[in-house]
Coordinates of all heavy atoms in Angstrom, one line a residue:
D386 N -74.0 -41.8 -2.5 CA -74.7 -41.2 -3.6 C -75.6 -40.0 -3.0 O -76.3 -40.2 -2.0 CB -75.7 -42.3 -4.2 CG -76.5 -41.8 -5.3 OD1 -77.2 -40.8 -5.2 OD2 -76.4 -42.3 -6.4
P387 N -75.5 -38.9 -3.6 CA -76.2 -37.7 -3.1 C -77.7 -37.8 -3.0 O -78.3 -37.0 -2.3 CB -75.7 -36.5 -4.0 CG -75.2 -37.2 -5.3 CD -74.7 -38.5 -4.9
N388 N -78.3 -38.8 -3.7 CA -79.7 -39.0 -3.6 C -80.2 -39.8 -2.4 O -81.4 -39.8 -2.2 CB -80.2 -39.6 -4.9 CG -80.1 -38.8 -6.1 OD1 -80.5 -37.6 -6.1 ND2 -79.4 -39.2 -7.1
V389 N -79.3 -40.4 -1.8 CA -79.7 -41.3 -0.6 C -80.1 -40.4 0.6 O -79.3 -39.6 1.0 CB -78.6 -42.3 -0.3 CG1 -79.0 -43.1 0.9 CG2 -78.3 -43.2 -1.5
L390 N -81.3 -40.7 1.1 CA -81.8 -39.9 2.2 C -82.1 -40.7 3.5 O -82.4 -41.9 3.4 CB -83.2 -39.3 1.8 CG -83.3 -38.3 0.6 CD1 -84.7 -37.8 0.6 CD2 -82.3 -37.2 0.8
L391 N -81.9 -40.0 4.6 CA -82.5 -40.5 5.8 C -83.9 -39.8 5.9 O -83.9 -38.6 6.2 CB -81.6 -40.1 7.0 CG -80.2 -40.7 6.9 CD1 -79.4 -40.3 8.1 CD2 -80.3 -42.3 6.9
A392 N -84.9 -40.5 5.6 CA -86.2 -39.8 5.4 C -87.1 -39.9 6.6 O -87.2 -40.9 7.3 CB -87.0 -40.5 4.2
Y393 N -87.7 -38.7 6.9 CA -88.6 -38.6 8.1 C -90.0 -38.1 7.6 O -90.9 -38.0 8.5 CB -88.0 -37.7 9.2 CG -87.4 -36.4 8.7 CD1 -88.2 -35.4 8.3 CD2 -86.0 -36.2 8.7 CE1 -87.6 -34.2 7.8 CE2 -85.4 -35.1 8.2 CZ -86.3 -34.0 7.8 OH -85.7 -32.9 7.3
E394 N -90.2 -37.9 6.4 CA -91.5 -37.5 5.8 C -91.8 -38.3 4.6 O -91.0 -38.6 3.8 CB -91.5 -36.0 5.5 CG -91.8 -35.1 6.6 CD -91.8 -33.6 6.2 OE1 -92.1 -33.3 5.0 OE2 -91.4 -32.7 7.0
M395 N -93.1 -38.5 4.4 CA -93.7 -39.2 3.2 C -94.9 -38.3 2.8 O -95.8 -38.1 3.6 CB -94.1 -40.6 3.6 CG -94.7 -41.4 2.5 SD -95.2 -43.0 3.1 CE -95.7 -43.8 1.5
N396 N -94.9 -37.9 1.6 CA -96.0 -37.1 1.0 C -96.4 -35.9 2.0 O -97.5 -35.7 2.2 CB -97.2 -38.0 0.8 CG -96.9 -38.9 -0.4 OD1 -96.1 -38.7 -1.3 ND2 -97.6 -40.1 -0.4
G397 N -95.4 -35.2 2.5 CA -95.6 -34.0 3.3 C -96.0 -34.2 4.7 O -96.4 -33.2 5.4
A398 N -96.0 -35.4 5.2 CA -96.4 -35.7 6.6 C -95.4 -36.5 7.2 O -94.6 -37.2 6.5 CB -97.8 -36.4 6.6
P399 N -95.3 -36.5 8.6 CA -94.3 -37.4 9.2 C -94.5 -38.8 8.8 O -95.6 -39.3 8.6 CB -94.7 -37.2 10.7 CG -95.4 -35.9 10.8 CD -96.1 -35.7 9.5
L400 N -93.4 -39.5 8.6 CA -93.4 -40.9 8.2 C -94.3 -41.7 9.1 O -94.1 -41.7 10.3 CB -91.9 -41.4 8.3 CG -91.5 -42.6 7.5 CD1 -91.7 -42.4 6.0 CD2 -90.1 -43.0 7.8
P401 N -95.3 -42.4 8.5 CA -96.1 -43.3 9.4 C -95.4 -44.5 9.9 O -94.4 -44.9 9.3 CB -97.3 -43.7 8.5 CG -97.0 -43.1 7.1 CD -95.6 -42.5 7.1
A402 N -95.9 -45.1 10.9 CA -95.3 -46.3 11.5 C -95.0 -47.4 10.5 O -93.9 -48.0 10.5 CB -96.1 -46.8 12.7
N403 N -96.0 -47.7 9.7 CA -95.9 -48.8 8.8 C -94.9 -48.6 7.7 O -94.5 -49.5 7.0 CB -97.2 -49.3 8.3 CG -98.0 -48.2 7.6 OD1 -97.6 -47.1 7.6 ND2 -99.2 -48.6 7.0
H404 N -94.5 -47.3 7.4 CA -93.5 -47.0 6.4 C -92.1 -46.7 7.0 O -91.3 -46.2 6.4 CB -94.0 -45.9 5.5 CG -95.1 -46.3 4.6 ND1 -95.0 -47.1 3.6 CD2 -96.4 -46.0 4.7 CE1 -96.1 -47.3 3.0 NE2 -97.1 -46.6 3.6
G405 N -92.0 -47.0 8.4 CA -90.6 -46.9 8.9 C -90.4 -45.8 9.9 O -89.2 -45.5 10.2
A406 N -91.4 -45.2 10.5 CA -91.2 -44.1 11.5 C -90.2 -44.5 12.6 O -90.3 -45.7 13.0 CB -92.5 -43.7 12.1
P407 N -89.4 -43.6 13.1 CA -89.4 -42.2 12.7 C -88.5 -41.9 11.5 O -88.8 -40.9 10.8 CB -88.8 -41.4 13.9 CG -88.0 -42.5 14.6 CD -88.6 -43.8 14.3
V408 N -87.6 -42.8 11.1 CA -86.7 -42.5 10.0 C -86.4 -43.8 9.3 O -86.1 -44.9 9.9 CB -85.3 -41.9 10.6 CG1 -84.3 -41.8 9.5 CG2 -85.6 -40.5 11.2
R409 N -86.4 -43.7 8.0 CA -86.0 -44.8 7.1 C -85.0 -44.4 6.1 O -84.8 -43.2 5.8 CB -87.2 -45.4 6.4 CG -87.6 -44.5 5.2 CD -88.8 -45.0 4.4 NE -88.5 -46.4 3.9 CZ -89.5 -47.1 3.3 NH1 -90.7 -46.7 3.2 NH2 -89.2 -48.3 2.8
L410 N -84.3 -45.3 5.5 CA -83.5 -45.0 4.3 C -84.3 -44.9 3.1 O -85.3 -45.7 2.9 CB -82.4 -46.2 4.2 CG -81.3 -45.8 3.2 CD1 -80.4 -44.8 3.9 CD2 -80.5 -47.1 2.9
I411 N -84.0 -44.0 2.3 CA -84.6 -43.9 0.9 C -83.5 -43.9 0.0 O -82.7 -42.9 0.0 CB -85.6 -42.6 0.8 CG1 -86.9 -42.9 1.5 CG2 -85.8 -42.3 -0.7 CD1 -87.8 -44.0 0.9
A412 N -83.4 -44.9 -0.8 CA -82.3 -45.1 -1.8 C -82.9 -45.1 -3.2 O -83.2 -46.2 -3.7 CB -81.5 -46.4 -1.5
P413 N -83.1 -43.9 -3.8 CA -83.6 -43.9 -5.2 C -82.8 -44.7 -6.1 O -81.6 -44.7 -6.1 CB -83.6 -42.4 -5.5 CG -83.6 -41.7 -4.2 CD -82.8 -42.6 -3.3

Side-chain angles (χ1 to χ4, degrees):
D386 182 301
N388 292 306
V389 175
L390 298 185
L391 301 176
Y393 44 74
E394 276 181 29
M395 178 181 186
N396 293 332
L400 199 60
N403 55 356
H404 290 288
V408 173
R409 76 178 302 172
L410 194 72
I411 283 294

